[in-house]
Amino acid sequence: MALKRFSQPIDGTIPIQALLYDDEDLLGSQDNVGIYDGQQKSSRHQSGTVHISSHRLFYTDGLKPESCSFSIDLSHVSRTDYYAGLFTSSPKVTLYLAGEVSSESTDEHAPSIWECQVCGNRNSPGFSPSAARICGLCGVPRDASDYPEQGGSATHLSSSLPASGFAGSSVPRSSKDPIPCPACTFLNHPSLRTCELCETDLPRRPSRRELQSAPVSRPHSPDNDEEGDMLIKVSFRKGGDKAIYGALKTSLNGKVWESKAATADRGGVNRSVGISGILRTVENSVQERETSMHDALQDLEALMVKAKDMVHLAAELNDKLTAAASSTNDEPEEATFIRSSLTQLGLHIDNAPVTQDMTKDERRWHEELARELAKVLQAGLMRDKGIVALDEVWGGWNRARGVALIPPATFLQVIPLLPQYTTPQVSTRKFASGLTVLHTPPYSASAFSARLAGFLVMHGSRTTLEIALEMELDMEGSNEAGMSVSLCKEMVEDCEREGGVCRDDVGQCAIVCGGGVRWWPNLFIDG
């Protein structure tokens, strides 16, 4: 019967997502279904759930999920019928099955990790059988020798490998020989149809199928005598038939398994295999990243253009709310809600962000932005700490501005103007690792080096973690929060390069961020 021939047993206790291939997508599920094997009900499959994926149909039994669950490859489905049901008859979807079951689909010969003979890429076993026949990096079909040996079989040749050019040769050793390119003379893998380097069409060798004559006819298998038996029906007891049938038709029309199998059989005729395929894959990845970054910045620029309208709208709403509040003693609840919403968006009239249309020239706009950023730093970001990373400043400033975002290029042009509008003065500092920070005078290179040397003289040697936790607390009248350990490590190592401190590597990595390194004041700096 059809179930015995075309189905593969599965463990229904495993979640269906865990049974999918890496390149397989789940399209729909429906419970309360039964299965017909041919025209008769299958007694072991009358209460379960059916799942449709891009490659297979799954049935998980509700009573005995371990022993009565199965899957069927949709590549065997030749056509389908839909019955909407009538009176007491439930809706049914009929799948007509045909073709031969491939050994690649069975658990015994499940795809395993294999190494491509062309590029050396190790391909993972999680893909569908058709996709597993092609190298994921260079696109070259998998060689027949990479498949597991099947007992009792003779020398197995892949259909994508050309056979010997001599009809009388009993051992086709030439099928393993590389094919020289007629243009550049590069020796290509025998499964390729185009040159890896110059993409010139390679001379084609006659295949074994062309050299050996096939029988004109063959006796029919006893299993195929009655076409009506080669079908299964899915009976829907509580609806959901239309959605499942739509998902099934979508999968059958897409035929994902067929397109990948055709690519493998052509042996790379799509000109995207071998060395040229690897280079093209790398170029496409770089191009996709550049396009994504470009699109992201375009969205940011588009939002900046709309910032002008948003600020004007906020001003108009504020005027109307103020006029309404002046006519009554109490502000309406709706007006309070609107004011709070504008504040959350950074569009409250008292702190409306500066936009480019408010000034006549770019220089003036940068000065206004610097003045605005100075207020944000001194009132919020740097109120409790004297040093902060540049990326944290950019993110916090844009969060305060709401919808009127500032791109990184404009932000970097504003930073040099900060010392003119901040008290105490806020300056920039760049470390050897490339990290850039904004800091107040106590965190300049000379000031911090002097403070650190004095701290170590008073308290003795300290690790980086101890310096980060104790040094700020040791300052009299200081209300600043301690530095992060990573930032403290950057500053201490910068002092070491200037000769202010020296390290003692005790070789004990007990502290994650400081290692076993202890820092001492440099007593030889004046000697």
Side-chain angles (χ1 to χ4, degrees), residues 503-517:
R503 70 172 64 204
D504 179 15
D505 192 349
V506 299
Q508 299 175 356
C509 299
I511 302 176
V512 175
C513 296
V517 178

Side-chain angles (χ1 to χ4, degrees), residues 59-119:
Y59 172 82
T60 55
D61 195 71
L63 301 178
K64 298 179 180 180
E66 301 92 343
S67 57
C68 296
S69 301
F70 64 86
S71 68
I72 295 178
D73 290 343
L74 296 182
S75 59
H76 298 306
V77 179
S78 59
R79 62 188 177 94
T80 60
D81 283 339
Y82 173 69
Y83 170 67
L86 183 65
F87 300 117
T88 59
S89 178
S90 60
K92 297 178 180 63
V93 172
T94 304
L95 283 72
Y96 294 88
L97 307 177
E100 297 183 3
V101 180
S102 172
S103 60
E104 295 178 1
S105 304
T106 62
D107 294 336
E108 182 182 358
H109 304 291
S112 58
I113 297 178
W114 60 279
E115 183 174 341
C116 178
Q117 296 184 359
V118 175
C119 65

Side-chain angles (χ1 to χ4, degrees), residues 37-51:
D37 189 3
Q39 301 295 342
Q40 303 297 324
K41 287 185 178 181
S42 176
S43 58
R44 301 175 64 239
H45 310 96
Q46 289 303 307
S47 178
T49 303
V50 65
H51 309 272

Side-chain angles (χ1 to χ4, degrees), residues 18-64:
L19 298 175
L20 300 178
Y21 300 127
D22 291 348
D23 56 337
E24 186 176 14
D25 298 321
L26 184 64
L27 303 181
S29 302
Q30 179 60 46
D31 55 1
N32 293 300
V33 301
I35 301 297
Y36 282 69
D37 189 3
Q39 301 295 342
Q40 303 297 324
K41 287 185 178 181
S42 176
S43 58
R44 301 175 64 239
H45 310 96
Q46 289 303 307
S47 178
T49 303
V50 65
H51 309 272
I52 301 296
S53 73
S54 57
H55 291 69
R56 292 176 287 179
L57 178 146
F58 295 89
Y59 172 82
T60 55
D61 195 71
L63 301 178
K64 298 179 180 180

Side-chain angles (χ1 to χ4, degrees), residues 322-500:
T322 302
S326 61
S327 60
T328 58
N329 295 330
D330 297 330
E331 186 176 61
E333 183 179 353
E334 295 81 0
T336 304
F337 174 75
I338 294 175
R339 289 185 187 273
S340 62
S341 300
L342 292 176
T343 302
Q344 293 177 359
L345 291 174
L347 294 174
H348 194 271
I349 196 63
D350 295 334
N351 62 341
V354 179
T355 56
Q356 192 170 8
D357 63 284
M358 296 180 180
T359 57
K360 297 182 179 180
D361 59 277
E362 188 174 7
R363 175 67 182 179
R364 178 66 177 169
W365 181 46
H366 289 164
E367 291 176 352
E368 292 297 329
L369 289 176
R371 186 178 288 108
E372 177 184 291
L373 179 57
K375 294 180 181 179
V376 172
L377 291 175
Q378 295 179 331
L381 293 176
M382 300 185 69
R383 181 174 56 188
D384 296 328
K385 51 186 176 181
I387 185 169
V388 62
L390 208 60
D391 58 341
E392 183 179 350
V393 174
W394 181 65
W397 189 21
N398 275 325
R399 196 177 303 114
R401 287 177 62 88
V403 296
L405 303 180
I406 296 296
T410 304
F411 174 68
L412 294 177
Q413 292 175 333
V414 173
I415 292 300
L417 304 177
L418 275 179
Q420 306 175 22
Y421 304 100
T422 52
T423 304
Q425 193 177 78
V426 174
S427 306
T428 59
R429 182 178 176 184
K430 187 172 183 178
F431 296 102
S433 63
L435 174 66
T436 304
V437 297
L438 295 181
H439 67 89
T440 54
Y443 290 90
S444 62
S446 57
F448 183 81
S449 181
R451 288 169 49 203
L452 178 60
F455 174 79
L456 294 178
V457 169
M458 293 180 59
H459 299 279
S461 65
R462 287 290 187 271
T463 64
T464 305
L465 179 60
E466 292 171 342
I467 293 175
L469 296 176
E470 301 174 11
M471 186 170 175
E472 300 301 330
L473 299 177
D474 190 64
M475 297 177 59
E476 295 183 2
S478 173
N479 59 349
E480 295 180 351
M483 295 179 293
S484 65
V485 179
S486 58
L487 181 57
C488 181
K489 181 174 181 291
E490 294 277 358
M491 300 185 70
V492 173
E493 290 179 352
D494 194 49
C495 293
E496 180 190 19
R497 281 186 287 271
E498 298 295 331

